[in-house]
Amino acid sequence: MSTNKNPFENTKNLRVRIAPSPTGTLHVGTARTALFNYLTAKKYGGTFILRIEDTDLERSDVKFEQDILDNLKWLGINWDEGVGGNGEYGPYRQSERIEIYKKYIQKLLEENKAYHCFCTVAELEAQKADMMARGIAPIYSGTCSLLSKQEADGRLKNSAPSIIRFRMPQEIVSFNDLIRGKLSFDTKLIGDITIAKNLITPLYNFAVIIDDELMKISHVIRGEDHISNTPKQIALQKALGFNIPTYAHLPLLLGTDKSKLSKRHGATSINDYKQEGYLPEAIVNFIALLGWNPGTNEEIMSREELATKFSFDKIQKSGAVFDIKKLDWINSVYIKKMSQDEFLEKALPYLEIKGLIKKSGAENYTTQKGNSVNGVWLKKVVVLEQPRIKKLSEIGDTTAFLFKDTDYDTDLLCWKNAQNADIKKSLEHSLELINNISTGNFNSTDLEKTLKDDAKSFNPQDTGALLWPLRVALSGQKTSPTPFDIMDILGKEDTLSSIKFAIKKLE
Ligand code: GLU
């Protein structure tokens, strides 16, 4: 790690970029890379650029590009320049830059720094197998690098299939990674890499260096999985006389078992997290801590706080563990922080998806039971879960009985080792007590006081003897809000009929 506190202080024009390939939906790793670039630009006064690397036409899809753009915006990771925005270095989509790449491929061919390779796939595979059998790192054998220009031109004229390879200079390529320090690579072990399938089909390592140069990227901040590409890119930059940006490779994302994060560990797409009801501010907070910390124990930080507290020298080298339990905790903190109105607004779609309510007017909903309810009632219900849930999709898990008819096993009414007769007695006691409470006092606070006092006299050793059967009679669930909160929502009449129903079940 750099000892320099501000590795960008001598950079006149700090320009960083994220360059996702639209071959899938926005991945948490890409979102993390985007966030670190975004925070770097914000903190150190730079420009954050979004480029779409869609040279792989077979795997790229506009629907994935849309997903990436939409979800970055949803996370609030906004870019200053690039696809869908401004900028004087566009186009920012690689598929629209083919003519630019072509010029540089031609330049390398003319300067004999690149050549056409006519080896067939079968030949390449045989060469590779042979090298591996001899215990050598499998690189291109170099057969076609020896062809004369005349010979190569002749084959091209006869339409012999070919690809374009870069004549890799044999040297040690070193660079000072801002996170990992000095890294050196022997290009002999890399060999002549393919840079394009043909003049109009450049490949990743080639297109990326053209764009980084022409878009004046000063710092390339990307995932550690790209380290092995960096010496290839530097060799190409040198061959074309380009500037070499400063590189910083972010630590790998790991699952809790310390292996590379993959689908096996759970969802990896931001979309999945969005659908499950993780809030964008919680996701941003969580991914900021994947490989970085503020140097204190502080863990809850808003986007704005992150932008001021972020400091590049605190990015760690070692892998960053993606712990869903931590994301759950952070999300629950943000859920608790929401105003009740905001929480209701976020919760309603989840109740609808679960089929617990259906819109039946501008302000009204119909529950699965068929009751017509309004926002006031709904707010009262959802806020009971607000302090408890980890994600919005859990809404309704402990209050579903308020929306739909549920039955339950009579055994659930049983508190500890109580016999049916005891439970019946307990419920009859509650019934009478509640029946005598005036509707004016039928609110959670008053009910709690009355019932808790009474529970103590009903069974001085164990208030559960009165309160457990009552809560189950009201909710039919093992876990639910308190009986007082439920009664408040049900109202006196429904409360009494629920208790009567439970008593009947015991007969
Ligand atoms: N298109 C590359 C990817 O999606 C990004 C490469 C880079 O940042 O240089 O992994």
Side-chain angles (χ1 to χ4, degrees), residues 291-359:
W292 173 82
N293 68 76
T296 62
N297 288 335
E298 200 177 359
E299 295 201 287
I300 300 297
M301 285 164 280
S302 67
R303 209 178 281 110
E304 294 69 33
E305 281 174 310
L306 286 170
T308 49
K309 291 188 176 154
F310 184 72
S311 133
F312 208 88
D313 61 303
K314 292 213 169 61
I315 297 177
Q316 73 198 38
K317 252 192 253 184
S318 54
V321 177
F322 186 103
D323 183 358
I324 189 78
K325 287 208 187 86
K326 184 160 176 178
L327 174 58
D328 283 348
W329 172 72
I330 293 179
N331 203 48
S332 72
V333 172
Y334 282 89
I335 286 178
K336 281 193 209 92
K337 274 194 198 182
M338 271 192 230
S339 73
Q340 294 191 345
D341 286 324
E342 199 187 339
F343 182 67
L344 173 66
E345 191 193 313
K346 293 255 157 49
L348 286 177
Y350 288 88
L351 292 175
E352 286 186 88
I353 290 167
K354 290 186 173 184
L356 294 176
I357 55 168
K358 234 201 226 135
K359 215 166 167 65

Side-chain angles (χ1 to χ4, degrees), residues 253-262 264-265 321-323:
L253 295 188
L254 308 175
T256 42
D257 61 356
K258 303 283 159 69
S259 67
K260 190 172 177 223
L261 187 70
S262 70
R264 194 163 51 81
H265 297 103
V321 177
F322 186 103
D323 183 358

Side-chain angles (χ1 to χ4, degrees), residues 75 96 98 108 135 147 169 184 188 203 215 240 276 307 313 328 385 387 396 429 434 461:
L75 290 171
E96 293 164 20
I98 297 304
L108 286 180
L147 294 178
S184 299
K188 265 206 244 71
L203 297 180
M215 295 178 187
L240 285 163
E276 276 195 55
D313 61 303
D328 283 348
E385 291 187 315
H429 182 91
I434 294 164
Q461 276 87 48

